[in-house]
Amino acid sequence: MLRLDEIAGVLQQFAIDGRLVSAEAIGSGHIHDTLHVTFTSGKWESEYILQRINRTIFPNVPALMSNMQRVTEHLAKELAGHPDAERRALTLIPTRNEATWCQDQAGEYWRCFRAIPRTRTFDAVESTEQAFQAAKAFGCFQRLLSSLPAESLIETIPGFHHTPSRFAALREAIANDVAGRMAGCKREIEFALVREPLSRVLVEANLPLRITHNDTKLNNVLFDEESGEGICVIDLDTVMPGLTAYDFGDMVRTTACAAAEDEQDLALVQMDFALFEALLRGFLEPVGSALPHAERMSLAQGGQVITFEQGIRFLTDYLRGDTYYKVHREGQNLDRCRAQFKLLASMEEQSQAVNALVEKVA
Ligand code: GN1
Ligand code: MG
């Protein structure tokens, strides 16, 4: 637990005027600690998002933050003139030394954003319109960043979506079995091993590298509270060169199914074809005509590859004794893996219909 006096000490380093009123933990991310903080100055209140960065997962914080600064500044430039520009991209709050991050006494790294008013997030999709809006927001994000040179971004986590490397890491975790958990997940291991070729489908397809978000979960979109429009994409830690199919695929994984990522009732875990179609149409609206044919066709495979990859990552972490993702109960990573593999099986069953729709729409 973070103490308010510690948080106040950290906040003093940022260029924020006024008095701290409150700080509360928010969000459902698996990596960082996130707080919503409110300041008051006279009759004005201002709100911020303060994050303690997970430095095990992001050991090079200056590189991470330099990417984030590039991306947020580029988005602001591209959005200049838009009547709602300030709510359409994240804005970093500088420290009093004009840096984008600071350290506390324990050596932990912190960053701060302006909170975006009158928005909310969703962990589970509620309608096809919402799926359409989420996908459109990620499509717009990719389009806005298409004018940023890819070489200006550092690879924050090398090989992040290189699925064959994730597969190799799983093999290693099986071979080492450091937590002694292998006997309890033989079926999941078998499910993964027979699908090894799927891990190579995208990397061997010779697709163009773009600047992609790489973590396009539904809960990384802020929706306007009133209109329901997807207005801002958040969680920019993994913005780096990648494939369009990664971004589309992670949307299919998280938004074409309303079940939780760790749902234990696997009967609830299925790809909903209407949600898939809404995602496809929403994503293609802003980017469609800019993508070459082969890249548009790769969207049909994105969901399967990324869902497979994510299942492998959860299984690997389970076998390693839960060292990467935050877990809130015993066996949670295995439940997450099972849900991903069930979702993948459902995608496999619907692959003909998916291919036909992508052929038609894309
Ligand atoms: C992590 O923090 P969060 O929940 O946005 C992870 C993603 C995974 C996701 C699974 C840096 O994202 O890659 O897809 O969990 N981020 C990192 O829910 O590993
Ligand atoms: Mg997130």
Side-chain angles (χ1 to χ4, degrees):
M1 268 303 269
L2 296 162
R3 293 204 328 261
L4 197 61
D5 58 327
E6 287 171 348
I7 293 164
V10 169
L11 283 163
Q12 271 169 11
Q13 299 195 53
F14 288 93
I16 302 175
D17 294 328
R19 182 175 59 81
L20 176 63
V21 183
S22 64
E24 53 175 301
I26 56 158
S28 43
H30 298 333
I31 310 289
H32 308 301
D33 297 297
T34 307
L35 298 136
H36 176 267
V37 298
T38 308
F39 276 74
T40 179
S41 160
K43 42 182 181 167
W44 299 109
E45 284 209 332
S46 50
E47 296 175 26
Y48 303 90
I49 301 297
L50 180 70
Q51 269 189 322
R52 182 170 65 179
I53 302 170
N54 182 323
R55 58 178 164 144
T56 313
I57 292 178
F58 293 101
N60 188 351
V61 174
L64 173 75
M65 294 310 293
S66 117
N67 273 5
M68 191 152 306
Q69 189 170 10
R70 285 244 152 124
V71 169
T72 52
E73 284 175 359
H74 187 84
L75 291 172
K77 202 175 77 199
E78 292 288 317
L79 287 162
H82 190 294
D84 199 23
E86 288 210 341
R87 294 202 312 147
R88 304 246 157 191
L90 288 174
T91 308
L92 282 164
I93 303 294
T95 66
R96 298 190 187 279
N97 305 327
E98 288 174 18
T100 53
W101 49 271
C102 68
Q103 277 181 287
D104 63 15
Q105 283 169 347
E108 298 290 343
Y109 290 83
W110 296 78
R111 65 184 173 205
C112 186
F113 302 96
R114 197 186 297 146
I116 301 193
R118 304 181 307 284
T119 55
R120 59 163 300 188
T121 57
F122 295 89
D123 284 324
V125 65
E126 294 180 344
S127 65
T128 50
E129 172 59 19
Q130 196 177 66
F132 180 89
Q133 287 295 332
K136 192 174 155 194
F138 283 118
C140 288
F141 182 82
Q142 176 163 331
R143 200 196 53 205
L144 290 170
L145 290 180
S146 62
S147 46
L148 180 68
E151 55 284 1
S152 61
L153 295 183
I154 303 155
E155 242 192 315
T156 48
I157 302 182
F160 191 60
H161 279 307
H162 191 265
T163 316
S165 308
R166 300 291 189 180
F167 194 86
L170 172 64
R171 276 199 203 280
E172 202 180 307
I174 296 168
N176 298 336
D177 193 21
V178 290
R181 287 173 162 179
M182 205 179 83
C185 49
K186 286 234 147 68
R187 282 195 11 227
E188 290 71 23
I189 290 173
E190 182 60 23
F191 182 98
L193 292 181
V194 298
R195 284 170 178 75
E196 184 277 329
L198 181 59
S199 69
R200 290 182 277 113
V201 163
L202 290 178
V203 296
E204 289 178 357
N206 199 18
L207 295 160
L209 265 189
R210 311 215 174 259
I211 293 182
T212 47
H213 182 278
N214 297 305
D215 188 10
T216 54
K217 287 164 76 162
L218 176 65
N219 63 16
N220 282 334
V221 177
L222 301 183
F223 292 86
D224 184 88
E225 255 171 17
E226 253 176 54
S227 68
E229 186 186 352
I231 62 166
C232 183
V233 162
I234 60 171
D235 194 348
L236 309 179
D237 293 325
T238 51
V239 177
M240 56 186 157
L243 305 182
T244 301
Y246 297 155
D247 275 6
F248 185 72
D250 209 26
M251 279 182 239
V252 178
R253 179 182 78 83
T254 59
T255 311
C257 171
E261 195 174 50
D262 62 348
E263 177 59 61
Q264 288 169 285
D265 180 357
L266 295 181
L268 299 175
V269 183
Q270 282 172 44
M271 189 185 84
D272 177 316
F273 195 78
L275 290 170
F276 175 84
E277 177 162 2
L279 289 171
L280 185 64
R281 291 186 189 275
F283 185 68
L284 288 174
E285 192 177 284
V287 298
S289 55
L291 304 181
H293 182 257
E295 194 177 12
R296 273 179 277 147
M297 291 303 123
S298 74
L299 302 184
Q301 291 152 333
Q304 284 196 32
V305 175
I306 294 297
T307 304
F308 185 43
E309 178 186 284
Q310 191 63 59
I312 289 174
R313 290 177 66 193
F314 286 141
L315 185 54
T316 304
D317 199 33
Y318 179 71
L319 289 167
R320 285 179 180 163
D322 308 321
T323 59
Y324 189 94
Y325 294 108
K326 286 184 191 170
V327 287
H328 308 288
R329 57 181 161 79
E330 173 92 21
Q332 192 173 9
N333 269 321
L334 183 56
D335 288 339
R336 289 169 175 153
C337 160
R338 288 182 173 145
Q340 304 312 297
F341 286 173
K342 171 68 201 299
L343 183 58
L344 171 56
S346 165
M347 290 173 181
E348 287 172 350
E349 282 162 20
Q350 298 180 71
S351 67
Q352 274 193 343
V354 161
N355 290 341
L357 185 74
V358 173
E359 285 278 355
K360 189 174 114 196
V361 174

